[in-house]
Amino acid sequence: MEDSEAGLQDRLSDLPDHIIHEILCFLEINQAIQTSVLSKRWKNLWASVPDLNFNSKGFKEQTFPKFLRRVISKREDCNVRRLDVFTHLPIRLSSMEGLINYAVAHQVEDFRFVSDDVQPVYIPECGSLKTLFLSRCKFGDLRTSFGFGFANLTSLDLYVCWFCYSENDFGDPFASCQNLRRLCLRYCRFPSLKRLKITGFQLVSLEIQGFGYGDRGLQEGCEVEIFAPNLLSFVYKFSKPVDFCGLHFPSLDYVEVHVWQHGTDEATDHDKRRARFLIWLMGC
């Protein structure tokens, strides 16, 4: 009988809290909450898990924001290492701001937001943030001096994001990310700028996809300037030629350029000059 009882021992619950937390980090937060019914030992462990993974699958438009607020209100006052939000539902700005402000106040290091629809998102300055991935976000009413205020950010991925500068002809949105080492822009839109500048003093890897004029993200005639003295890798693909008014990366070691031209489009002399410039860059 003693051997039989020993075989039924709950060894998982005997693990220290930080080990169980790492196990729960592999679950979505609603699944982690469900483990609270296993035993008294598990009742509140979800409330201090360092990674928060929200997914709107299985929720309705009215219930998902309520779930976000409930998790925040029930969670213990401890830091957030990682925040993931995957949603196919539109979320009210107030609900997203509440979640983001909570994560920022609790020293979030890694934030990933993926949405099926373009949604307005505002992220306040956050000194703890190191990696950031945003999909289908809209940044509105930006000032000339606007920048992501993340001094310790090292990696930034933006997919189908809109930068809506009002009454400005110049934008340098990443200049304040002084420690940024990796930047990836995929199908991003800067519709109102006459000049876009990408400044990255510590940048070593830059990838741009889906760039061009008109429906490719830039207004016709917009000039692009890139200042990255420590850049080692530059990838420009699935894009049309644009007017680069300045490219400063003397340390460049790897270049990959794929200029996209639709089969029915007739390339103008200006397009050809832009393409030749990129080809020259690739050979440098």
Side-chain angles (χ1 to χ4, degrees):
M1 178 67 72
E2 291 179 355
D3 292 340
S4 177
E5 290 178 351
L8 296 175
Q9 182 180 357
D10 185 358
R11 295 183 179 181
L12 185 60
S13 294
D14 288 339
L15 293 172
D17 285 0
H18 71 277
I19 299 296
I20 298 179
H21 283 156
E22 292 301 321
I23 295 173
L24 294 178
C25 285
F26 288 98
L27 303 176
E28 295 171 3
I29 189 62
N30 55 314
Q31 296 171 331
I33 292 174
Q34 290 172 1
T35 64
S36 62
V37 302
L38 294 177
S39 67
K40 291 182 179 180
R41 171 79 169 86
W42 287 77
K43 184 176 181 180
N44 294 312
L45 283 174
W46 72 268
S48 53
V49 68
D51 294 1
L52 299 179
N53 184 355
F54 294 92
N55 194 321
S56 68
K57 185 178 180 180
F59 288 88
K60 296 181 179 179
E61 184 174 344
Q62 297 81 9
T63 59
F64 189 54
K66 293 180 180 179
F67 177 70
L68 297 180
R69 293 192 295 270
R70 184 180 178 186
V71 170
I72 292 175
S73 65
K74 298 293 184 180
R75 193 172 183 274
E76 294 181 7
D77 188 19
C78 54
N79 286 346
V80 177
R81 181 176 59 190
R82 178 177 179 132
L83 172 62
D84 288 349
V85 182
F86 300 88
T87 176
H88 68 285
L89 301 170
I91 303 178
R92 290 183 180 179
L93 183 59
S94 58
S95 298
M96 273 305 303
E97 286 183 343
L99 179 61
I100 293 172
N101 289 334
Y102 175 86
V104 169
H106 289 80
Q107 304 295 306
V108 63
E109 297 179 11
D110 186 352
F111 179 33
R112 183 180 179 91
F113 177 80
V114 179
S115 171
D116 285 349
D117 298 309
V118 176
Q119 302 193 61
V121 172
Y122 170 72
I123 305 177
E125 292 189 9
C126 181
S128 61
L129 197 62
K130 296 179 181 178
T131 61
L132 178 62
F133 182 100
L134 299 176
S135 168
R136 294 182 174 86
C137 293
K138 184 177 182 180
F139 310 103
D141 297 327
L142 305 180
R143 302 186 300 274
T144 301
S145 60
F146 170 83
F148 285 85
F150 313 128
N152 293 310
L153 191 70
T154 60
S155 178
L156 175 60
D157 284 81
L158 300 176
Y159 177 74
V160 193
C161 290
W162 292 71
F163 291 76
C164 300
Y165 288 85
S166 58
E167 299 180 358
N168 289 308
D169 59 2
F170 174 82
D172 193 358
F174 314 111
S176 60
C177 300
Q178 300 178 1
N179 290 295
L180 190 65
R181 295 180 59 82
R182 178 182 174 275
L183 174 61
C184 184
L185 304 175
R186 296 186 177 97
Y187 303 95
C188 291
R189 304 291 186 260
F190 303 85
S192 59
L193 289 179
K194 294 180 181 178
R195 175 176 290 191
L196 169 64
K197 185 174 183 179
I198 298 175
T199 300
F201 290 98
Q202 303 300 325
L203 205 62
V204 296
S205 175
L206 173 61
E207 181 175 337
I208 298 175
Q209 292 188 24
F211 225 40
Y213 294 116
D215 60 353
R216 306 292 288 184
L218 299 175
Q219 67 168 319
E220 187 65 39
C222 178
E223 296 180 327
V224 180
E225 180 181 356
I226 304 176
F227 184 84
N230 293 303
L231 194 71
L232 299 177
S233 173
F234 177 55
V235 175
Y236 186 86
K237 60 183 180 180
F238 311 131
S239 301
K240 289 187 176 183
V242 298
D243 287 321
F244 286 100
C245 62
L247 295 175
H248 182 75
F249 18 75
S251 303
L252 198 62
D253 181 64
Y254 175 81
V255 178
E256 182 179 349
V257 175
H258 297 272
V259 176
W260 180 87
Q261 187 73 36
H262 195 279
T264 60
D265 292 342
E266 183 177 351
T268 65
D269 290 340
H270 200 182
D271 286 336
K272 292 177 181 178
R273 287 195 297 270
R274 295 168 181 160
R276 283 197 295 269
F277 178 74
L278 286 170
I279 293 171
W280 168 82
L281 173 65
M282 185 171 57
C284 289

